[in-house]
Amino acid sequence: MTVLSQSSCEACRIGAPKVDEAEARELLPQIPDWSLIEVEGIQQLQRQYKFKNFVAAMDFANQLADIAEAEGHHPGILVEWGKATVTWWSHSIKGLHRNDFVMAAKTDALLDKQRISHSVIR
């Protein structure tokens, strides 16, 4: 099994295959703190991270923005005092692609880096 956080995103164009139920069951254990949600009929991955204050949450969001830009795949990020909610889905296919699971894992890896700097509450 490939470690998701070490993978790179592949080009995802309109018509690319969505992750099916069997593949999702295989990938979800690698990102156990993420939830599958549905918004306006579109499946998405979402997780909320907690931080000690707004600045730490914003720092996390900015670092995630750099990773997302490098991968060419961009999340929804809501930053509030002491928390950041991250949502991944592939706009071009209106659903989940393997890239979304890869980026969720990369987001968790960034969280691990943040824990080292003690800005994460849990």
Side-chain angles (χ1 to χ4, degrees):
M1 180 181 342
T2 304
V3 176
L4 284 174
S5 65
Q6 301 301 313
S7 299
S8 294
C9 287
E10 58 186 59
C12 181
R13 308 235 187 279
I14 293 172
K18 294 179 185 177
V19 168
D20 63 26
E21 193 174 316
E23 190 175 9
R25 277 194 309 270
E26 177 186 317
L27 295 169
L28 277 170
Q30 295 183 61
I31 53 166
D33 297 317
W34 288 79
S35 298
L36 272 175
I37 64 168
E38 191 170 305
V39 178
E40 297 178 2
I42 299 172
Q43 273 201 322
Q44 302 175 10
L45 293 170
Q46 188 173 79
R47 180 171 179 194
Q48 185 178 91
Y49 298 91
K50 296 189 183 222
F51 300 90
K52 64 182 179 182
N53 56 39
F54 181 78
V55 172
M58 198 68 201
D59 182 52
F60 175 81
N62 285 329
Q63 289 182 50
L64 180 56
D66 290 340
I67 294 167
E69 189 65 18
E71 290 288 340
H73 193 49
H74 306 91
I77 305 172
L78 173 62
V79 178
E80 301 174 82
W81 192 96
K83 63 185 173 182
T85 303
V86 179
T87 309
W88 288 104
W89 76 101
S90 294
H91 300 80
S92 60
I93 61 171
K94 294 183 172 65
L96 291 173
H97 186 273
R98 188 173 194 283
N99 291 346
D100 300 303
F101 292 84
V102 167
M103 293 307 294
K106 287 181 181 289
T107 307
D108 285 347
L110 175 59
L111 176 71
D112 290 340
K113 179 181 170 188
Q114 289 285 322
R115 279 190 180 125
I116 293 168
S117 70
H118 307 290
S119 61
V120 175
I121 292 176
R122 54 181 157 125

